[in-house]
């Protein structure tokens, strides 16, 4: 008597998105010279496997069972999909040029720490490399550039969770790139980036010995907080849409590739293209 239960499920994604990923996988197989009939799964089935992991964080063991393949093969298929998607993520300079060219008033910069299960990596001074003191859990820091309405435009590679946002932004060359574009497109951020206040617009901080901020400074901070607060939607949009980003059990150095792949899927699923309409929320 069978002990397992079979049921039908529906993947909450457009068929066009599955076909898009399947086409990328097909192109990659041709590039590698993979011969017909040498793979356990076709490109469409592999795309479904990958999207199930991203959207529902389905366990690899379950994916392998459902597709009648080994866990090793399931991991290989997943990593292949992550890489082919991440290759289509836009570059920062390209994003800033497009944002300025389409009339966006500004962009937002914020960091997100993606939780990870991998913890046994000693860092400087014996501290755990991936432990985030701010968030009180292990994770990888990814920097996110978003439109004024909070739609994510670009994501960086990963840095260990112990590093602060400012350190990560400098390491990735983000500050230098934003500096080159600041005259055509300002960037808003929180006080975590006050070390780059000459490049990024951050709240005014009360100086030592200063009794209080002036009325103009208070007003500036309120306006900045209102504009930038909407931009924080970008991080939530990624983690709400893709459950796999809530806790990554793969190699934490892969987190950057995973988030870039998720960004490509998000844009494709919504047929998203950058335009001045993303200023509409502020009445511009």
């Amino acid at each position: 008597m069978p002990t397992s239960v079979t049921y039908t499920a529906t993947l909450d994604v457009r068929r066009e998105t599955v076909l898009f990923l399947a086409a990328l996988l097909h192109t990659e197989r041709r590039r590698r010279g993979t011969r017909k009939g040498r793979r356990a799964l076709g490109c469409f089935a592999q795309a479904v496997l990958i999207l199930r992991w991203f959207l529902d964080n389905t366990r690899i063991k379950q994916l392998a069972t459902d597709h009648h393949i080994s866990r090793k093969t399931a991991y290989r298929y997943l990593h292949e999909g992550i890489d082919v998607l991440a290759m289509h993520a836009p570059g920062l300079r390209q994003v800033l040029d497009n944002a300025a060219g389409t009339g966006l008033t500004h962009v937002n910069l914020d960091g997100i720490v993606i939780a990870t299960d991998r913890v046994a990596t000693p860092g400087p001074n014996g501290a755990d490399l991936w432990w985030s003191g701010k968030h009180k859990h292990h994770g990888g820091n990814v920097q996110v550039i978003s439109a004024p309405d909070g739609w994510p435009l670009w994501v960086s590679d990963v840095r260990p969770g112990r590093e602060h946002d400012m350190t990560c932004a400098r390491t990735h060359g983000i500050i230098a790139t934003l500096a080159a574009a600041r005259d055509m497109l300002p960037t808003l951020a929180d006080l975590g980036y006050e070390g780059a206040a000459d490049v990024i617009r951050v709240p005014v901080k009360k100086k030592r010995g200063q009794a209080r901020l002036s009325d103009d400074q208070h007003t500036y901070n309120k306006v900045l907080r209102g504009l930038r607060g909407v931009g924080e939607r970008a991080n939530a949009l990624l983690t709400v849409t893709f459950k796999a980003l809530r806790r990554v059990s793969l190699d934490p150095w892969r987190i950057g590739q995973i988030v870039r792949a998720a960004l490509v899927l998000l844009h494709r699923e919504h047929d998203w293209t950058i335009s001045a309409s993303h200023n509409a929320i502020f009445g511009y």
Side-chain angles (χ1 to χ4, degrees):
M1 183 175 181
T3 58
S4 59
V5 177
T6 301
Y7 65 96
T8 301
T10 301
L11 189 61
D12 188 18
V13 66
R14 295 190 309 147
R15 186 175 181 84
E16 289 80 2
T17 302
V18 184
L19 293 174
F20 162 73
L21 177 51
L24 294 183
L25 295 169
H26 177 70
T27 300
E28 176 63 14
R29 291 185 184 189
R30 293 187 62 182
R31 185 190 69 81
R32 295 185 179 189
T34 304
R35 288 178 292 171
K36 187 176 182 180
R38 300 289 293 183
R39 292 291 193 102
L41 297 182
C43 294
F44 189 90
Q46 184 182 354
V48 170
L49 180 152
I50 295 162
L51 288 168
R52 286 182 64 193
W53 183 82
F54 269 101
L55 292 169
D56 298 328
N57 197 20
T58 307
R59 294 174 300 165
I60 291 294
K61 179 181 178 181
Q62 187 64 54
L63 292 173
T65 300
D66 292 347
H67 290 274
H68 307 291
I69 57 178
S70 67
R71 288 195 215 180
K72 182 178 179 180
T73 301
Y75 273 115
R76 179 162 55 86
Y77 282 174
L78 173 61
H79 283 293
E80 184 177 87
I82 291 170
D83 289 337
V84 298
L85 284 166
M87 283 194 308
H88 288 75
L92 179 55
R93 188 72 225 194
Q94 174 191 349
V95 164
L96 296 177
D97 288 344
N98 289 344
T102 52
L104 294 194
T105 56
H106 65 275
V107 292
N108 304 289
L109 172 62
D110 196 12
I112 178 174
V113 174
I114 305 293
T116 178
D117 292 333
R118 303 299 181 94
V119 298
T121 308
N125 303 320
D128 196 314
L129 190 64
W130 296 95
W131 176 258
S132 170
K134 176 181 177 181
H135 296 86
K136 306 302 181 185
H137 63 69
H138 294 86
N141 187 306
V142 174
Q143 299 293 296
V144 181
I145 295 285
S146 63
D149 65 351
W151 186 271
L153 303 176
W154 176 86
V155 294
S156 72
D157 202 352
V158 68
R159 293 297 304 168
R162 69 182 301 275
E163 295 185 5
H164 297 292
D165 284 335
M166 187 65 208
T167 302
C168 296
R170 288 198 186 280
T171 302
H172 291 308
I174 298 172
I175 303 301
T177 305
L178 293 176
R182 62 183 164 183
D183 292 336
M184 64 176 182
L185 189 69
T187 302
L188 312 185
D190 59 29
L191 276 172
Y193 301 89
E194 65 176 321
D198 56 329
V199 174
I200 300 172
R201 299 187 184 183
V202 299
V204 178
K205 188 176 181 180
K206 188 171 66 174
K207 297 179 181 178
R208 179 177 297 179
Q210 184 179 5
R212 60 183 296 274
L213 296 177
S214 68
D215 290 341
D216 286 345
Q217 290 172 326
H218 272 298
T219 300
Y220 174 83
N221 284 352
K222 287 182 180 179
V223 171
L224 187 64
R225 185 163 53 248
L227 295 174
R228 185 184 56 76
V230 180
E232 293 181 355
R233 167 179 177 255
N235 295 350
L237 188 57
L238 286 167
T239 54
V240 168
T241 304
F242 303 103
K243 292 181 181 178
L245 300 185
R246 299 177 190 177
R247 180 172 294 275
V248 174
S249 296
L250 304 179
D251 180 354
W253 287 110
R254 294 282 287 164
I255 290 175
Q257 284 285 85
I258 293 168
V259 180
R260 279 195 293 270
L263 180 70
V264 173
L265 286 173
L266 185 69
H267 285 189
R268 175 60 61 164
E269 175 68 9
H270 292 273
D271 279 333
W272 190 90
T273 54
I274 192 170
S275 71
S277 65
H278 295 281
N279 290 321
I281 192 171
F282 303 116
Y284 292 116

